[in-house]
């Protein structure tokens, strides 16, 4: 490759990759099939944003009049106003994060002296080109911007600070984007059970991950209806994928009919009993009928 490119890390639901390399042609992102990167998510517009290259080897991000906006380092950017990207910048569109890792420069060859043959002997130096990656030179830490201006052009200090920046950046990124860990759509699997515990909700790790996320998306609705037939019915439906029937035929007693023969999960009556016991009113008794 003889052109500069940009390397991005990308995270979010239903992705088949975790890195993107963008050349001078740029990248357009959205739900529409005419985009370079199609992300079929309800929070994205048909044409949501684009990343473009500028003649001075800068990359920019632009909001294409999207409905939910493009967030650039935690601030929403105005539509049709491109923003210049620097290494370490984070772009958020819906539940997806694009982290600008670095520029990738083309390799350059070092020129060697002309071949000299002495008495017909072969040259002592191998004439094969020596390849050096250009991007290993001139890299500077973005932390220089927080120091007095006198240090802005200090190459040694810029490279020295890269050591600490590489160590602390993952921690800083986690803190700055902690809200994403609270999103049911992209929170790590282990966090889902922890979030469910805030609402005293039983969330078994044996459930498929997408079903766990769907339960957490409705956790507010379920919590507000805790102890009601509607809330218990919806929770059982989310767990087992079938429609249960709840019959209140006696005072302080009800019957739950659960068609486990129709479910495609491996969950059994024991799980159903645990769910019902955790959600029913303390004064009520019940009978579980498996069909």
């Amino acid at each position: 490759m003889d052109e500069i490119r940009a390397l991005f890390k990308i995270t979010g639901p239903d992705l088949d990759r975790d890195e993107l390399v963008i050349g001078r042609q740029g990248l357009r992102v959205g739900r529409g099939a005419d985009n370079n990167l199609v992300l079929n998510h309800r929070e994205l517009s048909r044409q949501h944003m684009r990343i473009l290259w500028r003649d001075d080897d800068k990359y920019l991000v632009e909001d294409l009049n999207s409905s939910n906006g493009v967030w650039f380092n935690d601030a929403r950017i105005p539509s049709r106003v491109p923003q210049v990207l620097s290494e370490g910048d984070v772009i958020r569109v819906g539940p997806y994060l694009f982290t600008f890792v670095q520029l990738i420069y083309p390799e350059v060859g070092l020129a060697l002296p002309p071949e000299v043959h002495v008495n017909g002997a072969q040259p002592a130096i191998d004439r094969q080109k020596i390849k050096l990656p250009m991007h290993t030179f001139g890299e500077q830490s973005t932390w220089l911007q927080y120091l007095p201006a006198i240090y802005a052009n200090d190459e040694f200090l810029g490279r020295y600070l890269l050591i600490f920046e590489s160590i602390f950046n993952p921690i800083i990124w986690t803190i700055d984007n902690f809200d994403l860990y609270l999103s049911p759509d992209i929170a790590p699997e282990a966090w889902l059970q922890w979030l469910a515990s805030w609402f005293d909700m039983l969330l078994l790790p044996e459930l498929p991950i997408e079903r766990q996320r769907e339960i957490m998306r409705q956790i507010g609705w379920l919590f507000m209806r805790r102890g009601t037939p509607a809330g218990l019915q919806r929770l059982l439906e989310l767990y087992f994928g079938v429609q249960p029937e709840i019959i209140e035929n006696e005072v302080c007693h009800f019957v739950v009919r659960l068609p486990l023969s129709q479910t495609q999960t491996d969950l059994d009556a024991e799980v159903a009993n645990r769910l019902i016991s955790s959600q029913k009113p303390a004064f009520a008794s019940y009978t579980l009928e498996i069909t």
Side-chain angles (χ1 to χ4, degrees):
M1 297 293 293
D2 59 354
E3 67 174 34
I4 191 172
R5 293 168 294 161
L7 174 63
F8 286 82
K9 288 283 188 181
I10 177 171
T11 59
D14 303 323
L15 291 174
D16 59 357
R17 70 190 79 179
D18 59 4
E19 287 187 350
L20 285 173
V21 177
I22 303 174
R24 293 181 177 179
Q25 73 279 6
L27 179 80
R28 192 169 64 238
V29 180
R31 285 192 292 113
D34 56 339
N35 293 285
N36 307 114
L37 179 61
V38 178
L39 299 175
N40 190 15
H41 194 278
R42 63 179 182 275
E43 294 185 25
L44 267 69
S45 301
R46 194 179 67 83
Q47 291 188 350
H48 199 100
M49 76 155 186
R50 66 171 177 165
I51 297 173
L52 58 153
W53 172 82
R54 203 168 63 184
D55 290 341
D56 56 354
D57 286 340
K58 296 288 187 181
Y59 280 83
L60 303 90
V61 59
E62 181 182 9
D63 184 348
L64 300 177
N65 293 324
S66 63
S67 300
N68 293 325
V70 175
W71 297 80
F72 178 48
N73 292 338
D74 297 326
R76 183 168 180 171
I77 63 175
S79 297
R80 298 294 181 179
V81 181
Q83 307 291 317
V84 177
L85 292 168
S86 301
E87 293 180 2
D89 285 341
V90 179
I91 306 165
R92 177 163 64 88
V93 290
Y96 299 94
L97 288 179
F98 296 78
T99 304
F100 183 20
V101 179
Q102 66 177 25
L103 291 174
I104 303 175
Y105 291 91
E107 295 181 337
V108 294
L110 291 183
L112 296 176
E115 295 183 272
V116 177
H117 297 261
V118 180
N119 296 327
Q122 294 298 319
I125 302 175
D126 185 357
R127 305 306 304 175
Q128 190 174 11
K129 274 191 175 181
I130 300 174
K131 296 290 187 177
L132 291 177
M134 187 185 295
H135 69 274
T136 59
F137 299 100
E139 290 184 349
Q140 288 191 333
S141 170
T142 58
W143 290 7
L144 283 177
Q145 63 184 307
Y146 303 113
L147 298 180
I150 191 174
Y151 299 109
N153 297 319
D154 191 322
E155 181 179 351
F156 170 78
L157 184 59
R159 295 171 68 84
Y160 181 70
L161 287 177
L162 280 174
I163 301 172
F164 304 97
E165 187 174 1
S166 64
I167 295 172
F168 287 103
N169 261 0
I171 302 173
I172 295 171
W173 186 93
T174 300
I175 295 173
D176 288 346
N177 298 278
F178 184 73
D179 59 308
L180 300 177
Y181 287 81
L182 307 180
S183 169
D185 293 319
I186 60 176
E189 185 173 353
W191 282 62
L192 294 176
Q193 285 87 41
W194 180 58
L195 292 173
S197 68
W198 294 6
F199 300 88
D200 193 24
M201 175 66 69
L202 179 65
L203 192 66
L204 296 179
E206 295 83 23
L207 277 174
I209 183 62
E210 283 307 316
R211 190 162 294 180
Q212 293 184 45
R213 296 192 188 282
E214 186 58 37
I215 292 173
M216 292 307 301
R217 291 186 192 105
Q218 302 185 37
I219 193 69
W221 188 93
L222 292 168
F223 183 76
M224 294 297 293
R225 290 159 180 79
R226 187 186 181 98
T228 67
L232 179 57
Q233 184 176 24
R234 181 56 181 154
L235 181 60
L236 291 171
E237 183 180 355
L238 288 170
Y239 252 84
F240 294 94
V242 295
Q243 183 71 40
E245 183 181 3
I246 298 179
I247 304 169
E248 297 180 282
N249 54 1
E250 299 179 25
V251 177
C252 298
H253 184 84
F254 61 95
V255 176
V256 178
R257 291 177 181 166
L258 188 63
L260 280 184
S261 59
Q262 303 175 19
T263 185
Q264 298 180 356
T265 69
D266 297 329
L267 304 178
D268 54 19
E270 180 185 354
V271 174
N273 276 312
R274 291 174 63 187
L275 286 172
I276 297 170
S277 297
S278 66
Q279 297 296 308
K280 74 176 184 65
F283 57 82
S285 60
Y286 72 93
T287 301
L288 175 61
E289 297 181 357
I290 302 299
T291 61

